[in-house]
Amino acid sequence: MTILYITYVNSTDNSSGSGVRPAKMLRAFQQEGHDIITLQGEQVSKLRLKNIKTVRKQIKCETPDLCYIESPTYPIIRHADRKLIKDICNAGIPTGYFYRDFYWQFPDEFPRRTSISGRIKDKGLLFLQTLTDKVLNNCNIIYVPSDECKSLLPYKDIRSLPPAGEYHLDLIKHECNHTGIYVGGIGGYYNGRFLLDVFNELNKRNAEYKLILVCRENEWNSFDHPCKNASWLEIHHTSGSGLVELYKRASVAFNVGSSEYKYSRFAISVKVFEYLSFGLPQVVINNKAIADLVNGEKIGFAVDYDIIKYADATEKLMNDCKLYEEFQKNITSSLLERNLWIHRVRKIVNDLSTIKNNEVQYE
């Protein structure tokens, strides 16, 4: 099957969730044996326009069976990109669009800029968002990260397509121990202060509990907390393959996105599935989308935004070896049966092929 795959980053950009997901999806499409016509590149680059022209020529010679689009973080900026999507849909090519981010729907939590230049930029982005939303009415299916997100958009056919994992369980054999790991942002919404408060509470108890914290160096340098130099805290600034040895040493992973943010109800971080990929049971804050995943797959605990409750859950998972082994078995079945990137690709191909087949039968 020939698939036109459109993304707004380069396939080699794995530095953040916005770059990881498109790269993983492309690899999964290729692993499934599909012929892929790709449109990549940063939105504002001159190369983007050249790539759009190249793709237009390609699809005139070989009409794709399907089109799948991984959205940018910001709205679609270029008119040429929006026109391409509209033309693809008008040509009858079944098209699915993954709508990644909804931060702009939460202005109280992600405040608009107050300077004159900032206000102008924000108004411009909102205008571009309106144009983006309008062109998406042409797409057959709008995919979102979780079922919770469906309430945020007005489109007729909205389906959930969360992130996914890769099978790395053959690289690591975890044992129940007192070391946890967190990878990601630590300021604001990401709530690193809360996690350090939890480990401070744990280390007031009988045993020593260690936290491996992985974040950007500049963020750590500006971060302030009474436990910043605690003996139980180990800081790293790495990513990609540099994480593997750290994952091997940990027994439990954490996600502490603050429940004080409404946005947290809708978000499922790609990091949750990376933890899953390396066999790590998780303790997460009881936010709806991520809690449904963790509880539904039975791969850890989702607990209230409370230091004592979070510490209790962490302590139990790090000391109850029988429960720990049960969670690890669930992780294996969760990955192999439904939560690898190839499962996401198969869903897209099945969804859009069904639309195409139905249209053929109708004609």
Side-chain angles (χ1 to χ4, degrees):
M1 185 170 288
T2 301
I3 297 171
L4 173 58
Y5 178 67
I6 299 176
T7 184
Y8 297 84
V9 296
N10 297 312
S11 62
T12 55
D13 179 14
N14 292 325
S15 60
S16 66
S18 59
V20 169
R21 181 179 175 119
K24 301 292 187 185
M25 289 294 290
L26 176 57
R27 189 179 306 164
F29 275 119
Q30 292 168 337
Q31 288 173 345
E32 285 291 281
H34 300 293
D35 295 323
I36 311 299
I37 300 172
T38 59
L39 171 56
Q40 303 181 52
E42 299 290 341
Q43 289 207 77
V44 295
S45 68
K46 292 182 180 179
L47 184 61
R48 180 79 186 183
L49 284 175
K50 182 180 178 181
N51 290 344
I52 290 171
K53 291 178 181 177
T54 300
V55 165
R56 280 190 174 278
K57 290 179 181 178
Q58 280 185 274
I59 62 179
K60 280 184 179 178
C61 298
E62 181 182 12
T63 302
D65 297 294
L66 313 170
C67 174
Y68 174 70
I69 306 166
E70 278 277 338
S71 68
T73 300
Y74 289 105
I76 299 175
I77 293 173
R78 291 191 181 276
H79 171 72
D81 266 304
R82 295 192 298 273
K83 188 174 188 306
L84 176 63
I85 293 172
K86 187 173 181 179
D87 291 345
I88 289 167
C89 296
N90 287 342
I93 299 170
T95 301
Y97 183 96
F98 178 73
Y99 206 127
R100 194 179 75 85
D101 215 328
F102 307 90
Y103 70 92
W104 59 272
Q105 293 206 18
F106 301 90
D108 294 339
E109 298 176 1
F110 300 90
R112 304 293 185 245
R113 284 164 279 213
T114 56
S115 65
I116 293 175
S117 60
R119 288 179 184 176
I120 292 171
K121 186 172 182 178
D122 282 342
K123 285 185 177 180
L125 287 173
L126 285 173
F127 175 69
L128 290 170
Q129 188 67 58
T130 301
L131 296 180
T132 299
D133 291 342
K134 184 176 180 181
V135 80
L136 296 188
N137 282 312
N138 296 279
C139 295
N140 299 94
I141 301 173
I142 302 298
Y143 292 105
V144 291
S146 67
D147 285 336
E148 289 294 299
C149 296
K150 294 177 182 179
S151 63
L152 296 174
L153 298 173
Y155 301 106
K156 182 172 62 175
D157 193 342
I158 305 177
R159 309 184 192 188
S160 63
L161 194 73
E166 296 179 315
Y167 190 86
H168 297 310
L169 304 185
D170 52 342
L171 300 177
I172 296 175
K173 180 173 176 57
H174 293 288
E175 294 182 357
C176 195
N177 64 44
H178 288 178
T179 299
I181 188 168
Y182 171 78
V183 181
I186 54 176
Y189 162 79
Y190 297 104
N191 213 18
R193 295 185 62 83
F194 174 82
L195 188 56
L196 265 61
D197 288 341
V198 167
F199 268 80
N200 187 45
E201 166 62 27
L202 281 170
N203 280 285
K204 291 177 182 177
R205 304 178 183 184
N206 294 328
E208 184 176 45
Y209 292 84
K210 293 185 178 296
L211 174 63
I212 299 170
L213 192 153
V214 185
C215 64
R216 292 187 174 95
E217 186 172 5
N218 61 343
E219 192 173 3
W220 178 249
N221 290 339
S222 62
F223 184 75
D224 184 40
H225 191 278
C227 298
K228 191 170 180 179
N229 297 310
S231 61
W232 46 259
L233 180 61
E234 184 179 321
I235 304 300
H236 293 268
H237 311 298
T238 188
S239 61
S241 59
L243 292 169
V244 176
E245 291 302 316
L246 301 179
Y247 284 143
K248 286 181 180 180
R249 291 169 48 204
S251 67
V252 177
F254 306 103
N255 191 296
V256 287
S258 176
S259 60
E260 294 178 349
Y261 287 76
K262 294 178 184 176
Y263 181 82
S264 298
R265 289 180 48 210
F266 305 92
I268 299 181
S269 168
V270 69
K271 195 59 63 180
V272 172
F273 286 91
E274 183 167 305
Y275 294 153
L276 191 69
S277 300
F278 286 95
L280 287 163
Q282 302 175 44
V283 183
V284 305
I285 298 294
N286 193 21
N287 295 314
K288 185 68 170 66
I290 193 172
D292 285 351
L293 172 69
V294 170
N295 290 332
E297 298 291 331
K298 297 180 181 178
I299 56 172
F301 294 128
V303 297
D304 292 339
Y305 183 57
D306 179 272
I307 292 170
I308 301 300
K309 290 180 179 178
Y310 201 97
D312 288 345
T314 301
E315 186 176 42
K316 180 174 179 58
L317 191 47
M318 287 182 168
N319 288 282
D320 188 335
C321 293
K322 184 176 180 181
L323 177 65
Y324 188 84
E325 290 177 6
E326 182 180 332
F327 281 148
Q328 284 201 306
K329 289 178 182 177
N330 294 339
I331 286 170
T332 301
S333 60
S334 176
L335 276 174
L336 292 179
E337 293 173 14
R338 57 194 165 271
N339 279 313
L340 294 172
W341 288 107
I342 57 172
H343 294 125
R344 305 295 181 257
V345 162
R346 288 170 186 170
K347 174 176 171 54
I348 292 164
V349 171
N350 181 68
D351 288 349
L352 295 175
S353 295
T354 300
I355 289 171
K356 183 173 183 177
N357 292 337
N358 287 343
E359 287 176 351
V360 169
Q361 291 170 11
Y362 178 79
E363 291 171 357

